[in-house]
């Protein structure tokens, strides 16, 4: 008998696909030609863990010990890693192929680029998602958020700030970076609405003690006299990619009062 006689090759000859639903968030395409306005979709990801997969396999393979299955999957993953590390592309059944690709650019014709791993999906894998239903799709302009403003001198978070002191701002997408970015104390009217005259906004021009995506710590400008303001943060920082956004992301606090 040959070594592979009797082996179940269902993984190699996949035929079935399950239907499901996903939500899509639309993002503006800032590289559209001729000033056209269009959008691209970013699917909100839901991840199945290895345990989720094993639990699903338990239903389709009730007579197979899942400990054995887990061991086989681990051995397969390790073999794929070893093969890639040896410089090979690896075909993953009829799902597609893992392969080594160059990353970024190099200076000079004799430079050596960094390497990364990519995956080339087969048509079978692409077809598997064609019947997935888009349950929701919508666009909202990217923005940051400020959820808490703390007066460092007093520890208060009720919007009362000490003139000449420091303030801690916490939220999301706050890290300042890129052209026209910064932090301002913007004057407000009696209803708490921002002044349209940005020339009167007071910019924070001292070094930031913290400049993180979720936390900013800085000194209140000396020119910010007693009164009511909103803290405005604008940034083009786009994360660890090193690229700047083509648009400014803005976060605005609730009304604060300097006394």
């Amino acid at each position: 008998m040959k070594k592979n006689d009797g082996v179940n090759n269902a993984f190699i000859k996949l035929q079935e696909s399950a239907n499901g639903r996903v939500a899509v968030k639309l993002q503006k395409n800032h590289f559209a030609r001729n000033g056209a306005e269009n959008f691209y979709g970013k699917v909100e990801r839901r991840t199945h863990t290895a345990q989720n997969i094993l639990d699903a396999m338990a239903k389709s393979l009730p007579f197979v010990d899942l400990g054995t299955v887990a061991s086989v999957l681990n051995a397969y993953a390790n073999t794929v890693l070893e093969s890639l590390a040896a410089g090979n592309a690896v075909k993953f059944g009829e799902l597609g192929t893992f392969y080594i690709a160059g990353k970024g650019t190099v200076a000079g014709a004799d430079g050596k680029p960094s390497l990364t791993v990519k995956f080339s999906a087969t048509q079978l894998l692409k077809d598997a998602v064609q019947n997935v239903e888009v349950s929701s799709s919508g666009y909202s302009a990217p923005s940051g958020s400020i959820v808490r403003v703390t007066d460092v001198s007093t520890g208060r978070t009720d919007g009362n700030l000490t003139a000449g002191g420091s303030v801690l701002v916490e939220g999301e997408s706050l890290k300042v970076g890129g052209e026209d970015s910064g932090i301002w104390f913007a004057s407000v009217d009696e209803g708490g609405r921002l002044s349209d005259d940005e020339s009167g906004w007071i910019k924070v021009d001292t070094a930031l003690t913290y400049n993180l995506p979720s936390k900013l710590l800085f000194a209140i400008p000396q020119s910010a006299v007693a009164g009511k303001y909103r803290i405005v943060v604008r940034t083009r920082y786009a994360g660890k990619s090193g690229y700047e956004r083509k648009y400014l992301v803005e976060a605005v606090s609730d009304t604060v009062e300097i006394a």
Side-chain angles (χ1 to χ4, degrees):
M1 179 182 293
K2 294 182 180 179
K3 186 175 182 180
N4 290 328
D5 286 353
V7 174
N8 185 343
N9 287 323
F11 172 72
I12 301 175
K13 298 296 182 183
L14 292 174
Q15 298 295 333
E16 298 181 0
S17 62
N19 297 335
R21 304 172 69 193
V22 295
V24 176
K25 182 177 181 181
L26 297 180
Q27 297 184 338
K28 186 173 290 187
N29 177 15
H30 293 275
F31 298 95
R33 296 181 178 179
N34 302 322
E37 183 174 77
N38 53 44
F39 303 82
Y40 62 91
K42 182 177 181 181
V43 176
E44 295 184 1
R45 184 181 299 177
R46 294 177 299 172
T47 303
H48 264 188
T49 66
Q51 187 60 54
N52 296 142
I53 298 299
L54 287 173
D55 291 342
M57 292 175 67
K59 297 178 180 179
S60 60
L61 299 171
F63 302 109
V64 177
D65 177 68
L66 284 188
T68 300
V69 175
S71 296
V72 171
L73 289 177
N74 285 335
Y76 188 91
N78 287 331
T79 301
V80 170
L81 291 175
E82 291 173 359
S83 186
L84 286 167
N88 302 307
V90 181
K91 188 174 181 181
F92 192 61
E94 287 197 353
L95 296 180
T97 301
F98 292 102
Y99 65 95
I100 302 170
K103 180 181 180 182
T105 60
V106 295
D110 58 349
K112 294 182 179 180
S114 299
L115 301 178
T116 187
V117 175
K118 295 186 177 181
F119 184 77
S120 176
T122 62
Q123 191 60 48
L124 177 66
L125 184 57
K126 295 175 182 178
D127 290 343
V129 302
Q130 293 307 305
N131 293 325
V132 175
E133 176 188 350
V134 177
S135 59
S136 63
S137 177
Y139 171 76
S140 60
S143 63
S145 65
I146 295 176
V147 299
R148 185 181 298 108
V149 177
T150 304
D151 182 278
V152 175
S153 300
T154 64
R156 295 173 65 173
T157 60
D158 57 2
N160 289 287
L161 303 178
T162 304
S166 295
V167 60
L168 175 67
V169 174
E170 297 173 279
E172 295 181 351
S173 299
L174 297 178
K175 184 171 182 177
V176 176
E179 185 179 1
D180 299 324
S181 65
I183 306 170
W184 290 265
F185 280 79
S187 56
V188 298
D189 62 18
E190 290 299 324
R193 291 181 291 271
L194 287 172
S195 168
D196 292 331
D197 182 10
E198 295 188 12
S199 65
W201 292 10
I202 302 169
K203 187 173 184 179
V204 175
D205 54 8
T206 55
L208 306 182
T209 304
Y210 291 152
N211 186 18
L212 304 171
S214 62
K215 185 184 301 183
L216 302 172
L217 177 60
F218 52 89
I220 298 173
Q222 295 294 326
S223 56
V225 299
K228 293 183 178 180
Y229 302 86
R230 284 179 181 259
I231 299 173
V232 178
V233 179
R234 290 175 175 170
T235 180
R236 295 185 190 273
Y237 178 75
K240 296 180 180 179
S241 65
Y243 294 100
E244 289 187 8
R245 298 180 188 269
K246 297 295 182 180
Y247 49 86
L248 282 166
V249 171
E250 183 176 89
V252 181
S253 75
D254 292 334
T255 302
V256 298
E257 184 169 5
I258 296 177

